[in-house]
Amino acid sequence: MTVRNSERGDDGGAADRQVGRRPRLLKAAGLALAGVLALGVGTAGWAYWHLNDNIKSVDIDSALGDDRPPATVPSPSPSSTASPLPSGALNILVLGSDSRSGEENAELGGGDSGGARSDTAMVVHLDEGRSEATVVSIPRDTLVTRPSCPLPSGGSTSVAYNTMFNSAYSVGGPVCAVKTVESLTGIRMDHYVEIDFSGFSKLVDALGGVTVTTDEDIDDEDSHLKLEAGTHHLDGEQALALARTRHGVGDGSDLGRIGLQQTLVKALLDQVSSTNLLTSPARLYQVADAVTGGLTTDTGLDSLGGLMSLGQSLRGLTSADVTTVMMPVVPAPSDRNRVVADEPEASELWASLR
């Protein structure tokens, strides 16, 4: 009996030790899991803050006031949806520029902040429902009447007649670019988006490159791009060079470059559609970092939430749903190296987008 009692005591002690060890192990595992979750939440929080902080913005609405075309009236939201995505018609001025100084932009051919230029200007019109879009390119060599624009330092620029379209950005930045486009088109720009050289190049690389087909050989000493006619998969630097190429195609004018840029826009849409970013958080972050890092917007889009809402409203849009055109132009009578709007065709085009 004594022996049995002693054995029972030994077994009970081992069991007690196991029971005592189990809560400690569970506690340790719980603390470890909590640490991992806290690290994940902290990393996600830092990533959101970083991406949000990347975005630069300009308060265009306050700068221009009420002296503008009427704003687009948003479509009524379905009452059955608590937080519906925006679906109304929208007009966005998209500029490609070298406005941000820095080593990366300089290496890609960008200028300093004092010599900012807008090499690409597109008015993107999203139809009601966001299922179709029209992208209208405005040649930078178009002669226009540049209206008086407010300056950040106070005062305003003078009205300029028969001046190049891209001078608006040079003298008055995004605010003057928007006001000049609204004066030219009679259309309110609901939003403004500008991406610099480095941001564009990084975006293409983050997407894994972009595939384009050219109809003719390209050999441009200025953009340093050489391509034989055919289909090519380009990295970010090559895609940027293609967007900037003008002397290696056609008659060497800005009109030939616009054709390449429009091809590139559709190719990028196809690349985005074929890349399932949701299955790769690392790739998704890389793309988001590239986009926000090279971006300047109006204050209506200067948050990650605002950009995500816009992007989600366009998720069904493919290159087949996008029409790319150029504002109708003819050689300027005063300078054959410049162009002017071809009327009444140009006005009819803008009227169709109101």
Side-chain angles (χ1 to χ4, degrees), residues 188-207:
R188 172 78 163 247
M189 295 296 108
D190 301 297
H191 290 299
Y192 170 83
V193 174
E194 174 191 329
I195 188 165
D196 65 17
F197 285 176
S198 176
F200 179 81
S201 178
K202 287 180 178 178
L203 171 61
V204 173
D205 283 336
L207 288 170

Side-chain angles (χ1 to χ4, degrees), residues 123-204:
V123 173
V124 178
H125 173 79
L126 303 174
D127 289 351
E128 179 79 25
R130 310 274 173 98
S131 60
E132 293 183 336
T134 302
V135 178
V136 184
S137 296
I138 303 175
R140 70 173 192 171
D141 294 340
T142 304
L143 297 181
V144 300
T145 296
R146 190 183 69 225
S148 174
C149 301
L151 295 172
S153 58
S156 58
T157 65
S158 300
V159 177
Y161 300 95
N162 259 352
T163 188
M164 280 179 59
F165 167 75
N166 71 339
S167 70
Y169 186 94
S170 299
V171 302
V175 171
C176 197
V178 169
K179 188 165 186 179
T180 300
V181 169
E182 291 184 343
S183 175
L184 175 67
T185 65
I187 299 174
R188 172 78 163 247
M189 295 296 108
D190 301 297
H191 290 299
Y192 170 83
V193 174
E194 174 191 329
I195 188 165
D196 65 17
F197 285 176
S198 176
F200 179 81
S201 178
K202 287 180 178 178
L203 171 61
V204 173

